[in-house]
Amino acid sequence: MGSPVYIQIHNEIKKAIEAGKWSVGDRIPSERELAVQFHVSRMTLRQAIQTLVEEGILERFVGSGTFVANQKVQEKMSGVTGFTDLMLAQGKKPSSKTISYHVMSPSLSESEKLELKDDTQVLRMERVRYGDDVPISFEVATIPLEIVDGLSKQEVSESLYRTLETKKGLVPGHAKQMVSASSASERIAEFLDIKRGDAILRLRQISYLQDGRPFEYVRTQYVGERFEFVLEK
Amino acid sequence: MGSPVYIQIHNEIKKAIEAGKWSVGDRIPSERELAVQFHVSRMTLRQAIQTLVEEGILERFVGSGTFVANQKVQEKMSGVTGFTDLMLAQGKKPSSKTISYHVMSPSLSESEKLELKDDTQVLRMERVRYGDDVPISFEVATIPLEIVDGLSKQEVSESLYRTLETKKGLVPGHAKQMVSASSASERIAEFLDIKRGDAILRLRQISYLQDGRPFEYVRTQYVGERFEFVLEK
DNA sequence: ATTATATACTGGTATAGACCATGTTGCAAG
DNA sequence: CTTGCAACATGGTCTATACCAGTATATAAT
């Protein structure tokens, strides 16, 4: 395998816990013991443990040892879904109007967030999203071309998340979102049928596949008065 | 000093950045150079850098170097914490000004969200929150009286979450949040040192104890330009 | 001037040891 | 039996060194 040793050990320990070798509250062997078992130095073994601690899977106590932590509800978080499911869950009819749809070279910011190689092309599309025919948001989605390879414009535009799962078996893993408030520009206001300067909920989202690869970067501007973001933590 | 060397170096680098020795985007000296300067091994120096990277103060790029990151006030979804810890995690000095502090009968909405009996009284306080003396948010917190029973105004106002944990052993379990965008009213704008109509990030949060009882209902209005809400799901 | 290539430099990974402070445990003294 | 203490185990910190895979830059070839 090509990945660093400490990642490999990380995975092996994780699998062992999932397989039931150690249960919640159990003490796992000491760092020195594990280092011998895995034929690595203690520092390298510690690095593997470190990442597991950061994931909340293990806990360390000086003098006592390293224990399997009781798992939080973290992964129970509402799954990563797209606009379509979001609207349907609210009993609203989802629809959208595609404003633009182009294959192009990514901006520096996009390239960075999607972790792209230099020569990679992306699909960028601007859409206005509606719930029960009332404009809810304006969004700019950027997707690496390879992800949507072989899919029709219709499939990509209508419901990317559903299409990726059914056609390619690609399931989103997690997403990172940044939320802030702003005010609408002239152009956006027109699309959303509001006045320039009206309150806008700005959301930038990077969605990752289960293997950790980013596959979509979306900048969304929601109409402040028509949208509310609910989350539990 | 008693603390580990890497923590001391962490603090020195942090202070140097705050003092303006390096600005956002600047490249700081390489790990090897800094290790010599601080008279420590490169591994120890790396540990100092590591903690700064985790705080979002620095960014590392292989082959290029280590750079001062663009700092933002942002909330990480890692845990349910109060304003104090949020600010400290960002290396900012938290402070607040209490606008009002009264015991009263809850509104219908508050009573509902806090699942209160008819005759229960609540504590309601309005506060302006600051990070490094810059106003970040205006919030209205409503707490059942029994929760803060026996606590001083000082303790409740300064850092409720910390006080509850240390004095009463009460630890927040989860929270439900609703986010939307709005614009600042005249009164709020004055508190936050912005103009009326400026973009506001509105957040309503219900916090629950680990046994599921709601213990706090907070309505917060963040300055759109000074706050960003980051979450992973 | 442009383009290819070699070289130096960067952070990332890994080793094998060392000492520390704290927690645990077993044994001796009461 | 309980108490106190010593020995041991554990994670935390630190060193000095080495090699790797990317990035940047100076140099050589075109």
Side-chain angles (χ1 to χ4, degrees), chain B residues 27 29-38:
Chain B
R27 205 194 81 175
S30 73
E31 297 176 349
R32 288 166 179 85
E33 281 181 62
L34 288 173
V36 171
Q37 285 183 31
F38 285 106

Side-chain angles (χ1 to χ4, degrees), chain A residues 221-232:
Chain A
Q221 302 191 33
Y222 293 93
V223 177
E225 303 301 314
R226 297 176 199 155
F227 185 77
E228 187 176 62
F229 201 74
V230 178
L231 43 131
E232 312 224 1

Side-chain angles (χ1 to χ4, degrees), chain B residues 52-71:
Chain B
L52 288 163
V53 168
E54 281 166 8
E55 288 182 32
I57 292 170
L58 295 177
E59 290 177 297
R60 289 190 280 206
F61 301 96
V62 283
S64 305
T66 303
F67 301 79
V68 178
N70 189 357
Q71 279 278 55

Side-chain angles (χ1 to χ4, degrees), chain A residues 4-6 32 40-44 62-64:
Chain A
V5 176
Y6 77 93
R32 289 167 178 83
V40 296
S41 72
R42 191 183 150 213
M43 288 302 274
T44 300
V62 281
S64 305

